Amino acid sequence: MDTREILTRFKGGTLRREHAVALLAGTSPVVAPPVVALPVAALPVAADREPLPTPGPVPGADAGDGPGTGAGMPCAVVGIQGRFPQAGDLEAFWRNGLQGRIAEAALPGGRRSACAGWRGHFLDGVEEFDPDLFGLGAREAAGLDLRERLLAQSAWQTLESAGYAGARLERLTACDGTARSVGVYAALGPAGGALPGTGHRHTAPPASRPGPAARLSRLLDLRGPSLSVDSGDSSFLTALHLALGGLRAGECAAALVGAVELRLHPACQRPGAGEGVAAVLLKPLAAARADGDRVHAVIRSSAVGHPGRAAPGPQYGRLVGRALAAAGLRPPGTGPQHPDAGPQSEAPDAGLEAVGVALQESSRTVAALVGDAGAVTGAAALVRAVGQLRHAVLLAGPDRPAPAAWEPARRDDGTVLPRRALVSVPGPAAPADPTDAVDAAGPADAGDAADAADGTDGTDGTDGTDGTDGVYGVYGVEGTDGTDGTDGVEGTDGVEGVGVVLVVEEAPAVPRAPARTGPPPGTGPAELVLLSAATPAHLAATAGRLAARLSDDGGGGRDGGPAGPDLAAVAHELRLGRAVLRCRLAVTVRTVAELADALAGFAAHPGPGTGPAGVRSADLRTAAGPPLIEGLEETRAYVAALWQGGRLEQLTRLWLAGVDVCAVLPAHPGPAAVELPATVLRPRPLEPGPGTDGAPQ
């Protein structure tokens, strides 16, 4: 059995990893029955779109690219949220990109600075946190440092925007039936640290303290793998690469990947330094489409590597080649090639455009928006790429003076290819080298081949068994402070040079729903709309935000305007996509316009009992506990019968009495997913956490 056949069989799922390693190394493994590859359900695609590949050998790929990094199972971005300098949400971040804005400013007031007058890219209000949203007291909230607080809020909003903060989250199950099977992969820049002679105490958390990913898993009650990642500027993309591997290995049903960078310590502050926080929720594309999720973009493949002691320049081209091969995308004219082969004759841009790649996002392209943003750099690059894919617009960049419409590439036969982008950190320092972009570098030895095949570079951390999270990458292994190997604030991080490349694709075309031919608005069946929040203030503010969004979207055809979202879809999403909290609201309406008016009236005059337009609400925070009937199988059967019979009054009373009437509803059958605004945060200044040098910096 030659190398090509070994790698092909491994990729196709008919040869176990340990046997592939042994065969490639020239040893004889113990004979074991082959793994049986499970069939992948065919996905519907639009007639003018290229179908997604199924697991199997990549035609024309050389043996070294066979395993890739999990080719054959693309993953969907079903939730995405973030805050960046001078952009409190992703809509503002997109507008800044369209306008070519440079989001640079002076250091926010209240922070200490090493030198006066310098400018950078900063977040506002980093010392504020909303502990009520998570049910935390002051002491518990103080146990989280500022970075973890920001990441927790972004993660919550990501789950809500994806519709996985409530009943649907409970039904994300692992292979063994474990509920809430969501892996957490967190990338956080260093908290600060001490510099010799500055008088600042060292603020690194003790070794026994669980890592940030483990704490986020506990805070959100998520039960998948929990890994903290630090590989410098590529931390977020490395975390995402590991999350893809976890999804493809069946370790979790969904993966939450987040990153945050703060320049709090004066020693971290230098001209051009940047901050930000972002999170994405990933699911296998097949599962996302089957579940009716809103897909923002598709991650086709990823590749990660370190150049070792070699020059880092050629690494980008090798990773691009590996990522393209893992996605089953081979630019025309690029057949099998040894890693040490000579230059290609074809220009890289032509090769990439032939497979639909017309965009390359990296730290260079986001520098004006986020500056030198450390661990969150890759998140900013991914968010910018997803925005361009969603809007079919190419933003201005180093090689593009102004935004332009993104026309998709076509095959020679006229077939339209999906729009695709490369997202990378560190990315090319200059326009890509013709010898790199279409190379497909294979693994150098048996260990590399098998490591590439399972989506890691062989050094990933493992889940701790004591509640701590696995840690991928060791920050400060080659630290430069000359003491105990830990990193100085400005020191070399010891993993500098780790590169990651993603192949990102626009969301698959979804068949348009047939035009609604039902009864005129206001004459159809009534819908019970349920909303809950942590406090009455959260409930009123969220109701007001939702009312504004529904009015902006057309108000359900009010005054002859556009139709807007479907009422059933809105009610369905609020019942199943949001967490069930102690302050609750219920209203029965027949149109989106009625709902918008009712919610706006409640926001203006909140309070328990019956309010404007029939809105009823209750504050259950002082209740002794859930009703005695909560959680009983008989209660579930009774509530299901009420839904089946359309008994909305009885359901409303149970909801306001504390019963979770949404738990019995089917998670996905029903209206297509609709994205609604997240719960309004009500952050307030808190005492600094343990990783922030004892005071806002």
Side-chain angles (χ1 to χ4, degrees):
M1 186 183 302
D2 61 16
T3 301
R4 178 186 293 275
E5 184 177 356
I6 293 170
L7 293 173
T8 299
R9 288 185 59 187
F10 180 86
K11 182 188 172 199
T14 60
L15 191 66
R16 293 184 185 277
R17 182 179 186 278
E18 60 269 23
H19 300 111
V21 172
L23 287 170
L24 289 167
T27 61
S28 298
V30 177
V31 177
V35 177
V36 178
L38 298 176
V40 177
L43 301 176
V45 296
D48 63 347
R49 288 284 184 84
E50 175 189 26
L52 296 170
T54 55
V58 179
D62 88 272
D65 289 317
T69 50
M73 198 186 87
C75 293
V77 177
V78 297
I80 182 168
Q81 290 291 321
R83 285 177 57 197
F84 297 100
Q86 300 184 36
D89 55 32
L90 297 191
E91 292 181 3
F93 186 72
W94 174 251
R95 288 196 300 271
N96 286 350
L98 276 177
Q99 297 166 3
R101 185 176 184 181
I102 299 177
E104 189 178 63
L107 190 70
R111 294 209 212 175
R112 290 184 292 160
S113 176
C115 56
W118 72 284
R119 298 172 65 83
H121 301 70
F122 308 107
L123 295 180
D124 294 322
V126 298
E127 74 285 356
E128 297 180 346
F129 180 59
D130 188 350
D132 298 326
L133 182 66
F134 302 96
L136 297 178
R139 182 181 297 272
E140 292 174 290
L144 302 174
D145 74 32
L146 300 188
R147 301 164 306 149
E148 293 168 347
R149 296 172 187 174
L150 290 177
L151 186 58
Q153 292 177 152
S154 187
W156 179 281
Q157 292 183 313
T158 299
L159 291 173
E160 282 198 335
S161 70
Y164 282 97
R168 290 200 193 100
L169 176 59
E170 297 291 337
R171 297 165 198 178
L172 285 175
T173 55
C175 298
D176 62 358
T178 300
R180 303 174 74 94
S181 177
V182 178
V184 175
Y185 301 80
L188 279 72
L195 290 178
T198 62
H200 296 296
R201 65 184 179 86
H202 195 284
T203 58
S208 60
R209 188 169 185 251
R215 291 193 291 279
L216 186 57
S217 292
R218 186 178 186 279
L219 187 63
L220 299 176
D221 192 16
L222 304 178
R223 303 166 190 173
S226 193
L227 298 175
S228 294
V229 178
D230 190 346
S231 59
D233 288 359
S234 63
S235 293
F236 174 81
L237 296 187
T238 302
L240 193 146
H241 171 83
L242 293 174
L244 295 176
L247 290 170
R248 288 161 178 159
E251 296 172 350
C252 50
L256 183 65
V257 186
V260 60
E261 182 78 30
L262 293 179
R263 306 290 187 174
L264 300 175
H265 196 288
C268 296
Q269 299 165 0
R270 57 184 180 272
E275 300 177 334
V277 58
V280 299
L281 185 68
L282 307 176
K283 285 181 64 178
L285 178 60
R289 297 190 68 180
D291 293 341
D293 295 328
R294 182 184 179 92
V295 177
H296 299 276
V298 176
I299 310 295
R300 289 289 297 269
S301 64
S302 62
V304 63
H306 193 289
R309 295 184 178 181
Q315 175 183 243
Y316 175 76
R318 288 196 295 267
L319 292 179
V320 169
R322 283 172 49 193
L324 290 175
L329 302 173
R330 173 73 68 196
T334 58
Q337 186 178 8
H338 189 273
D340 297 326
Q344 295 279 347
S345 60
E346 186 174 21
D349 289 344
L352 294 176
E353 290 176 1
V355 292
V357 176
L359 175 67
Q360 298 185 56
E361 286 292 330
S362 68
S363 52
R364 287 199 313 138
T365 61
V366 299
L369 297 172
V370 299
D372 176 11
V376 83
T377 300
L382 178 62
V383 168
R384 184 174 147 105
V386 170
Q388 292 171 90
L389 289 166
R390 290 183 62 181
H391 292 89
V393 170
L394 292 168
L395 295 178
D399 54 358
R400 189 179 304 106
W406 187 347
E407 297 298 333
R410 296 177 180 270
R411 290 199 182 105
D412 292 339
D413 61 4
T415 303
V416 176
L417 296 177
R419 297 172 180 86
R420 297 187 175 111
L422 296 180
V423 176
S424 60
V425 170
D433 186 337
T435 65
D436 292 337
V438 295
D439 276 354
D445 56 36
D448 286 344
D451 288 335
D454 69 357
T456 72
D457 69 356
T459 59
D460 58 302
T462 58
D463 275 345
T465 56
D466 60 353
T468 61
D469 59 331
V471 179
Y472 181 91
V474 181
Y475 197 87
V477 172
E478 298 177 340
T480 58
D481 64 2
T483 52
D484 58 0
T486 57
D487 61 307
V489 173
E490 289 278 32
T492 301
D493 62 8
V495 287
E496 183 180 4
V498 173
V500 188
V501 173
L502 305 182
V503 178
V504 187
E505 183 176 280
E506 66 180 321
V510 177
R512 291 185 179 178
R516 287 176 286 183
T517 58
T523 61
E527 286 286 348
L528 176 58
V529 177
L530 306 176
L531 190 64
S532 69
T535 69
H538 283 84
L539 186 62
T542 301
R545 173 182 285 180
L546 182 56
R549 173 63 61 86
L550 295 175
S551 297
D552 290 344
D553 288 344
R558 187 200 313 262
D559 300 328
D566 181 71
L567 175 62
V570 172
H572 189 265
E573 189 61 31
L574 290 175
R575 292 193 293 251
L576 296 172
R578 302 300 176 97
V580 176
L581 302 176
R582 301 299 288 167
C583 296
R584 303 184 181 185
L585 170 157
V587 63
T588 300
V589 294
R590 294 183 180 274
T591 68
V592 172
E594 286 183 19
L595 176 59
D597 289 341
L599 293 176
F602 175 80
H605 304 284
T610 302
V615 176
R616 294 151 73 178
S617 61
D619 183 352
L620 304 176
R621 292 176 298 166
T622 58
L628 293 177
I629 63 172
E630 176 78 351
L632 300 176
E633 285 301 319
E634 293 83 354
T635 302
R636 292 178 60 87
Y638 174 57
V639 171
L642 292 178
W643 279 111
Q644 184 68 27
R647 305 295 185 180
L648 302 186
E649 173 60 26
Q650 288 76 11
L651 289 166
T652 297
R653 292 183 180 182
L654 288 172
W655 169 254
L656 297 178
V659 176
D660 181 3
V661 299
C662 303
V664 302
L665 295 172
H668 293 289
V674 56
E675 187 173 10
L676 299 175
T679 296
V680 174
L681 300 177
R682 294 183 59 82
R684 60 180 185 269
L686 294 178
E687 288 299 316
T692 55
D693 209 25
Q697 302 169 359

